[in-house]
Amino acid sequence: MRRFLQRSQLLFFTAALLVFTLAVSFRREDKYFEISKNLDIFSAFYRELNTYYVDDLSAQQLMYKGINAMLDETDPYTDFIPEENLDELKFMATGKYGGVGASINTDSNKTVISDVYEGSPMYKAGVKPGDIILSLDGHNTLGLKQDDVSKLLKGASGTTLAMRTKNPISGEEHDRKIVREEINVKPVAFAGMTREDVGYIKMSQFTENGGNQVQDAFEKLKAAHPGMKGLILDLRGNPGGLLEEAVAVSNIFIDKNRLIVRTKGRIKNWDHDYKTERQAIDLTLPLVVLTNHSSASASEIVAGAIQDLDRGVIIGQRSFGKGLVQTTRTLPYNTKLKVTTAKYYTPSGRCIQAIDYSHRNEDGEADYVPDSLRKNFTTQRGRAVRDGGGIEPDDKVEPIFLSQVAVTLLRRQYIFDYATIYYYAHPQQPQPATFSLTDAEFDNFVQFLDGKDYSYKTRSEEALETFASTARKEKYFDAVSAEYQSLQQKMKHDKKQDLLKNKTEIRHLLEEEIVSRYYLQRGRIEKGLAWDNDVKEAVAVLHNPAQYTALLKGK
């Protein structure tokens, strides 16, 4: 009897397994049938449309619009890369492109060099920020859009660019022959000391060889400053890049054979654990990683590993929350598909993807993962951390937002233009860390603004206008018009008073821009360290071992 029951159970299990296998098979075949059916419909639709529509249709435009419509159903990181945009894909991965090594700013009147990369062809040719580009290879730049000017500047390494420029102060014009090179935007934008005993490394992106460059910068700081009490690794504004470089940077501070990040997707054979491969350079030096809302992807891998393994303290603001991994697939005719194939998980097991693209509202919009669905995880020492919302700092510093008048002065290029004037009037190089504008020089800047339009609306004025518009529509305005006029008059701002009220902030922006004229990007970064609140907090924590230890314990 028992044998009969065992045989019956075996037959039942075998039958159930067969039914399940067939069901899965049918579901898979149903899906493939749906794909095949709809591809046939799409092909027939395009054939009939192309044959009978009254006007000629561009095949490429139609297909690209169709592709873009499909991409609207995915996340913003999945993208179709046409052949003409492959250089952008290469730049994102390597930090390299063929060009002259300069940034530009274009308006309706002129195209101006806004930045020159140290050691680049533009740098070697003596081109300086503030120089005006008149023509490129015989093309007058007046009226050209910024993208069009950028395309003329870029080109294959070894090719020659004929450029005519004008000095912004003297008005002298110069013809230059510039040989394009492969420009390599360095991952380490600056490395130095914030004070005598605290090191600082600013990493701008995770491109090829980024790990080696951070390690080289760190080792040089240690050798030059043997009494260094701590290091600040600044990943603010770093959008990420290569996952392998994030592992390499982590390996500088985390020992061999430790899990840094795990990727998991639909294709299980592609799931992978990324571990450190070498002995760490330093396992004990107190470490602070700075993040903000623009720290994404590979930046979050490093910050997440440092936090989960309790190797250092995260200071600043919550990171962006990009926990998605992209893979590049080759398509016909030298085109590419950059497609999200997996999510990445930090050593504690959390995925820090902040926006859920798999669930959308009725308008098709994706939203942030709600707090109610975020799960708790623990670091190596038992500190509580959460998934679904980026890397939250161990020590949060409130961000400082620029005043409306400062934003307007930056947008209108008045701070940039004054720095150009100052540079040519003061040929002697100042020291970045100690340079400061005198009150008389700030007054000169205020005089420089006389007659210039830097009008703007404050947020309060915009809110008041919105109120008035709504009140008129709802027919309440007449009843409150007197109060509205009185409030409007009280809120009316005086531009010069705003300059003086925000003098410290504007002076800092001026000093950074002026120093960059002499020392380019590294000068701007070094000067900015003096009043950077995140850096100040990091230095304070590194100077206070008890506070540093308490943060690592979650207290």
Side-chain angles (χ1 to χ4, degrees):
M1 183 69 177
R2 185 182 300 168
R3 189 177 301 168
F4 174 76
L5 287 173
Q6 289 175 341
R7 187 179 300 168
S8 299
Q9 289 169 346
L10 180 62
L11 288 172
F12 176 78
F13 174 76
T14 304
L17 183 61
L18 179 61
V19 169
F20 175 77
T21 304
L22 288 172
V24 171
S25 176
F26 284 138
R27 281 201 298 271
R28 191 176 297 139
E29 288 178 5
D30 286 348
K31 182 176 180 180
Y32 290 146
F33 172 74
E34 283 296 310
I35 293 172
S36 177
K37 181 183 81 173
N38 284 286
L39 282 174
D40 284 345
I41 293 171
F42 182 84
S43 176
F45 174 83
Y46 174 71
R47 183 173 60 248
E48 297 298 311
L49 183 68
N50 184 63
T51 302
Y52 296 111
Y53 187 69
V54 63
D55 296 320
D56 284 339
L57 298 170
S58 166
Q60 179 170 302
Q61 286 184 9
L62 281 178
M63 291 303 165
Y64 281 13
K65 283 185 178 181
I67 288 171
N68 287 330
M70 284 189 277
L71 290 173
D72 285 342
E73 298 300 310
T74 67
D75 59 65
Y77 313 109
T78 295
D79 201 8
F80 170 70
I81 315 293
E83 184 176 11
E84 59 268 24
N85 291 347
L86 288 181
D87 283 346
E88 295 178 18
L89 187 65
K90 176 186 174 185
F91 175 68
M92 286 190 289
T94 66
K96 299 175 183 177
Y97 68 95
V100 294
S103 300
I104 59 168
N105 183 66
T106 300
D107 60 28
S108 57
N109 298 318
K110 60 186 181 299
T111 295
V112 177
I113 300 291
S114 57
D115 262 317
V116 176
Y117 303 147
E118 196 168 356
S120 69
M122 283 282 206
Y123 180 86
K124 294 172 186 174
V127 177
K128 299 183 183 301
D131 284 356
I132 300 165
I133 301 177
L134 300 176
S135 66
L136 295 168
D137 284 337
H139 298 278
N140 191 326
T141 58
L142 186 64
L144 287 181
K145 294 180 179 178
Q146 188 151 323
D147 285 348
D148 295 328
V149 178
S150 294
K151 287 176 183 177
L152 290 172
L153 290 170
K154 292 177 180 177
S157 177
T159 58
T160 301
L161 173 69
M163 182 170 73
R164 188 169 184 82
T165 62
K166 183 170 77 171
N167 184 288
I169 305 301
S170 68
E172 292 180 14
E173 297 184 5
H174 301 275
D175 288 314
R176 308 174 190 269
K177 294 284 186 183
I178 298 177
V179 179
R180 296 182 180 92
E181 297 176 7
E182 184 176 72
I183 306 300
N184 186 1
V185 180
K186 295 179 180 179
V188 176
F190 176 80
M193 303 297 289
T194 61
R195 292 189 184 179
E196 190 176 335
D197 58 359
V198 175
Y200 173 89
I201 297 174
K202 170 72 174 177
M203 193 178 186
S204 58
Q205 55 191 343
F206 286 82
T207 50
E208 283 182 358
N209 208 35
N212 287 336
Q213 288 197 29
V214 174
Q215 179 176 327
D216 183 58
F218 178 50
E219 289 179 328
K220 285 179 178 177
L221 286 177
K222 284 185 69 176
H225 304 274
M228 189 162 62
K229 290 184 178 178
L231 177 73
I232 300 169
L233 177 62
D234 190 350
L235 300 181
R236 293 173 301 174
N238 187 323
L242 300 177
L243 185 151
E244 291 81 1
E245 296 301 332
V247 177
V249 170
S250 302
N251 201 171
I252 298 169
F253 311 103
I254 296 170
D255 217 355
K256 185 177 181 180
N257 205 33
R258 298 299 303 273
L259 177 67
I260 300 299
V261 63
R262 172 176 289 135
T263 60
K264 293 191 287 187
R266 284 178 60 195
I267 302 175
K268 297 306 175 187
N269 290 339
W270 289 6
D271 292 355
H272 190 73
D273 287 356
Y274 292 85
K275 297 183 178 181
T276 50
E277 297 180 349
R278 299 177 296 178
Q279 299 296 326
I281 302 302
D282 194 305
L283 288 170
T284 58
L285 185 73
L287 173 66
V288 166
V289 178
L290 298 182
T291 62
N292 64 7
H293 194 59
S294 298
S295 306
S297 190
S299 294
E300 296 174 294
I301 291 175
V302 173
I306 295 296
Q307 189 175 58
D308 283 4
L309 299 176
D310 297 300
R311 175 58 187 90
V313 172
I314 313 300
I315 290 179
Q317 298 86 48
R318 192 177 78 171
S319 65
F320 182 80
K322 181 180 180 291
L324 304 175
V325 182
Q326 284 72 49
T327 303
T328 302
R329 307 290 295 170
T330 300
L331 301 178
Y333 300 101
N334 207 22
T335 60
K336 303 278 187 182
L337 168 64
K338 181 163 70 75
V339 57
T340 298
T341 53
K343 295 180 180 179
Y344 71 70
Y345 297 80
T346 67
S348 67
R350 55 182 169 146
C351 176
I352 51 119
Q353 176 62 25
I355 299 177
D356 183 5
Y357 294 103
S358 61
H359 297 90
R360 298 174 183 265
N361 60 27
E362 293 178 356
D363 297 326
E365 297 294 324
D367 206 349
Y368 286 90
V369 177
D371 282 345
S372 59
L373 296 181
R374 295 179 65 191
K375 298 176 183 176
N376 291 323
F377 293 81
T378 55
T379 69
Q380 184 174 265
R381 294 184 183 176
R383 288 188 295 153
V385 289
R386 303 178 78 194
D387 69 355
I391 301 296
E392 295 181 7
D394 304 307
D395 183 3
K396 186 177 181 181
V397 180
E398 290 299 324
I400 294 178
F401 299 102
L402 291 177
S403 64
Q404 202 73 8
V405 64
V407 170
T408 303
L409 293 173
L410 287 169
R411 285 178 178 167
R412 299 283 174 88
Q413 297 292 300
Y414 294 142
I415 287 176
F416 180 90
D417 290 342
Y418 182 78
T420 301
I421 295 169
Y422 187 98
Y423 169 75
Y424 283 102
H426 300 80
Q428 189 172 357
Q429 285 188 329
Q431 290 300 313
T434 57
F435 170 72
S436 63
L437 282 176
T438 65
D439 287 339
E441 287 169 335
F442 185 84
D443 291 341
N444 287 339
F445 173 67
V446 175
Q447 292 172 16
F448 162 78
L449 293 175
D450 279 347
K452 292 180 171 59
D453 178 22
Y454 56 100
S455 58
Y456 57 92
K457 290 180 182 178
T458 64
R459 293 182 181 90
S460 298
E461 287 175 313
E462 290 174 351
L464 191 62
E465 286 185 1
T466 301
F467 162 77
S469 176
T470 304
R472 285 189 178 97
K473 288 177 183 177
E474 296 179 347
K475 304 189 185 306
Y476 291 122
F477 185 74
D478 289 344
V480 296
S481 62
E483 290 87 346
Y484 171 79
Q485 300 284 347
S486 174
L487 195 56
Q488 188 181 44
Q489 194 61 36
K490 288 177 182 177
M491 289 172 58
K492 192 173 183 180
H493 61 279
D494 182 291
K495 292 189 297 184
K496 282 198 174 179
Q497 284 302 313
D498 284 356
L499 284 175
L500 297 176
K501 189 167 59 177
N502 297 283
K503 179 178 179 178
T504 301
E505 173 186 82
I506 295 168
R507 178 185 240 152
H508 289 168
L509 294 172
L510 282 166
E511 288 171 358
E512 284 184 27
E513 190 62 42
I514 289 169
V515 167
S516 76
R517 289 294 192 275
Y518 302 93
Y519 299 96
L520 304 178
Q521 186 187 29
R522 60 189 175 91
R524 180 184 284 113
I525 295 170
E526 184 175 0
K527 184 61 199 169
L529 294 178
W531 45 75
D532 189 318
N533 282 352
D534 293 349
V535 172
K536 285 181 180 179
E537 178 65 12
V539 170
V541 168
L542 290 170
H543 279 165
N544 187 339
Q547 184 183 4
Y548 180 83
T549 302
L551 287 170
L552 284 178
K553 291 180 178 178
K555 295 180 179 178

